[in-house]
Amino acid sequence: MGRLDDKVVVVTGAARGQGEAEARLFVEEGARVVLTDVLEEAGRQVAASLGDGALFVRHDVTSSADWQAVVDTACQRFDRIDGLVNNAGILVAKPILEMDVEDYRRVLEVNLVGCFRGIQAVGRVMRDQDGGSIVNVSSTAGFKAVPTAAGYVSSKFGMRGLTRTAALELGRHGIRVNSIHPGGVDTEMARGFGKREPGEPTPHDALPLGRIGEPIEIARLALFLLSDESSYSTGSEFVADGGLLV
């Protein structure tokens, strides 16, 4: 306990799933957390359950104005920002020949451009203090293509390049930037992709670990990268996939 004592962390997409698990774990470890999401009611409920160490800001990651509001709120309430987890993401499941370009662009705007906006907005705060840590949540889909997920795969491959470039540019300001690459994780978004009948085998059954991942398992990896335990890691890619890419 206490691995994030005195740190202030922003977590996007924190109203449910992986982002919620991250926010809860970070508070347990001593952080003050700003949870953001477009799901306002759910986000406020999660923040309220975490007590005075958390607050919620409604936030569309595709909006620069919303990003500035998140930064302003965090600094007004907690005086600084030490960590950012770019967790918010969407998935549109359609074959390329059937996908509207608007759907493709929307996924890139949320997953990749939203991440860029976050690095830019929070990075400026971190530059003016004594550094910080940024964690970009990519996917094994950033290494390995997935049918019917062209926008998602493109965005996750793009996050790898964005992470490495940000690490090169921001390291001299004491800002570390890393990416994490979950495989299948038992969240609402994952459950809606490739639905199967009850009892039907899933791709996770064939993994070396033989199961799907849990949100807390990814949250622990993000915790490590936000903490001082990873102080010499930047521009790196951390995989948690049950052996999918082996």
Side-chain angles (χ1 to χ4, degrees):
M1 303 294 287
R3 295 163 73 188
L4 296 181
D5 280 351
D6 301 321
K7 294 187 185 294
V8 177
V9 180
V10 174
V11 182
T12 68
R16 63 185 184 186
Q18 198 168 288
E20 178 184 352
E22 290 160 354
R24 291 189 182 280
L25 179 62
F26 300 163
V27 170
E28 288 177 11
E29 291 287 347
R32 292 164 291 174
V33 179
V34 180
L35 299 85
T36 87
D37 210 302
V38 292
L39 302 175
E40 187 165 0
E41 182 177 353
R44 292 194 184 282
Q45 289 176 353
V46 173
S49 73
L50 294 175
D52 293 339
L55 65 86
F56 175 79
V57 179
R58 190 195 180 284
H59 176 209
D60 177 352
V61 296
T62 69
S63 165
S64 292
D66 277 15
W67 269 110
Q68 191 59 51
V70 169
V71 166
D72 291 345
T73 301
C75 291
Q76 289 166 8
R77 175 73 175 270
F78 299 128
D79 296 325
R80 59 187 294 114
I81 302 175
D82 300 286
L84 166 65
V85 180
N86 277 312
N87 173 78
I90 62 172
L91 186 157
V92 175
K94 289 183 180 179
I96 290 174
L97 300 184
E98 299 174 16
M99 178 179 283
D100 296 332
V101 70
E102 290 78 12
D103 286 336
Y104 184 78
R105 284 177 172 156
R106 174 64 179 166
V107 175
L108 293 179
E109 279 291 329
V110 173
N111 296 2
L112 182 55
V113 182
C115 178
F116 170 83
R117 292 179 191 272
I119 293 171
Q120 194 172 64
V122 174
R124 287 168 176 157
V125 175
M126 292 178 172
R127 177 191 60 191
D128 294 338
Q129 43 184 61
D130 53 355
S133 176
I134 297 173
V135 179
N136 298 325
V137 181
S138 181
S139 168
T140 51
F143 293 99
K144 184 179 187 297
V146 180
T148 74
Y152 187 80
V153 170
S154 298
S155 69
K156 297 305 184 178
F157 266 84
M159 287 176 76
R160 294 176 61 199
L162 176 60
T163 297
R164 291 184 175 204
T165 303
L168 282 173
E169 293 186 10
L170 302 181
R172 65 191 179 92
H173 300 296
I175 303 169
R176 298 185 295 109
V177 189
N178 294 285
S179 58
I180 59 178
H181 299 263
V185 180
D186 190 15
T187 63
E188 185 171 334
M189 184 174 76
R191 288 191 292 270
F193 182 73
K195 291 183 178 179
R196 290 170 175 82
E197 296 299 323
E200 184 180 355
T202 75
H204 308 104
D205 297 334
L207 294 176
L209 295 187
R211 63 175 177 85
I212 195 170
E214 297 297 329
I216 187 62
E217 295 178 294
I218 310 306
R220 292 181 187 127
L221 183 52
L223 167 65
F224 167 71
L225 292 172
L226 291 174
S227 76
D228 295 337
E229 296 167 13
S230 59
S231 57
Y232 201 54
S233 295
T234 195
S236 296
E237 299 164 343
F238 294 79
V239 176
D241 68 350
L244 174 66
L245 298 181
V246 171

